[in-house]
Amino acid sequence: MGKLAWLTDPHFDMLNTEQLRELVETWSTRTVDGLLITGDIADGENLLPVLTLLDEKLPYPIWFILGNHDYYGTSIQLQREAVRQWCDSTRDTTWLANASYIGLSKNTALLGHGGWADGGYGDFHGSEIGLNDYRLISDLTGHDKVELARRLSDLGRDAAETIERQLTGAFQSHSHIILATHVPPFIESCWYQGQATVNEWTPHFSCKAVGDCLRDLAKSYPEHSIHVYCGHTHSSGVAQIEPNLRVTTGGATYGQPALQPEILFK
Ligand SMILES: [Fe+2]
Ligand SMILES: [Fe+2]
């Protein structure tokens, strides 16, 4: 049985360097096949310094995707290019959105993309919620709601296209997929304060484009199974979407990064 340590929404920029080093030291003694991080690792400025420290100190591979906070203070394109270049210089840390898929065992493959809260579920135009994303990520600032909705929708579609490509490739050789994304892809997986129902936050907490793609693929490949791991809402829960499609959303508390229960695979 293989084992992955799983971390979501650690927001490491809220810790000082000493606190971060201490935590990483504790985690470094784990016996696991690797660490999966499902986004909101830090903010734009601190992302690469944090990843560098993790890469240096942890003795196992790291697979990660980016969350919305990882772009704060910069632009999506600039940050993605910086992360791509940084990954070229590391040996054992992989940005899943930049890879096809990782074979973890004969049966199981790992793949992923951060996704984006695309406004597809709930009432985006009626919601009064103004995420910091719309102030702190340059691609999303200064637009009216119609243009903002268009940009969010494009980001969701781009994520779905990447995931569809990765999944159809991985399905040729692996029957079980561990799929990492940041934003919950279904209303049923969009946990908030212990519930997964539509509310004002839903359009900003879910990615319908990825959800639609996953549901279609799960139905087209009934002999395969997909287990999605995500975060973003900081509230935990499990949702069975199809017989072969399950989503686990991890909880988080700002300033107190903690590992989730380990992910087991055959
Ligand atoms: Fe977060
Ligand atoms: Fe997030």
Side-chain angles (χ1 to χ4, degrees), residues 19 75 120 170 206 244 247:
Q19 289 170 316
S75 82
S206 54
N244 60 340
V247 183

Side-chain angles (χ1 to χ4, degrees), residues 120-122 183-199 202-203 205-208 210-212 214-215 219 228 230-231 233 235-243 245-250:
Y121 296 121
V183 180
F186 301 98
I187 291 170
E188 298 91 324
S189 62
C190 188
W191 297 90
Y192 181 62
Q193 297 181 337
Q195 289 196 312
T197 49
V198 175
N199 58 50
T202 307
F205 271 3
S206 54
C207 186
K208 183 172 184 292
V210 168
D212 289 347
L214 291 180
R215 206 189 294 264
K219 285 181 173 163
V228 179
C230 61
T233 68
S235 189
S236 63
V238 179
Q240 190 75 39
I241 305 297
E242 297 288 334
L245 174 58
R246 183 157 48 123
V247 183
T248 300
T249 309

Side-chain angles (χ1 to χ4, degrees), residues 9-11 39-40 68-69 182 231-234 252 254:
D9 297 81
H11 295 277
D40 282 1
N68 48 321
H69 280 247
H182 180 61
H232 187 55
T233 68
H234 291 206
Y254 285 118

Side-chain angles (χ1 to χ4, degrees), residues 1 12 25 47 53 55 67 85 88 92 99-100 105 113 122 143 165 167 180 184 204 218 225 231 241 262-263:
M1 187 74 84
F12 285 126
E25 186 72 42
L47 175 68
L53 188 135
D55 182 64
Q85 281 184 22
D88 285 345
D92 236 5
S100 51
S105 68
H113 185 291
H143 305 295
R165 205 165 44 240
L167 263 179
H204 316 279
S225 58
I241 305 297
E262 283 170 349
I263 299 171

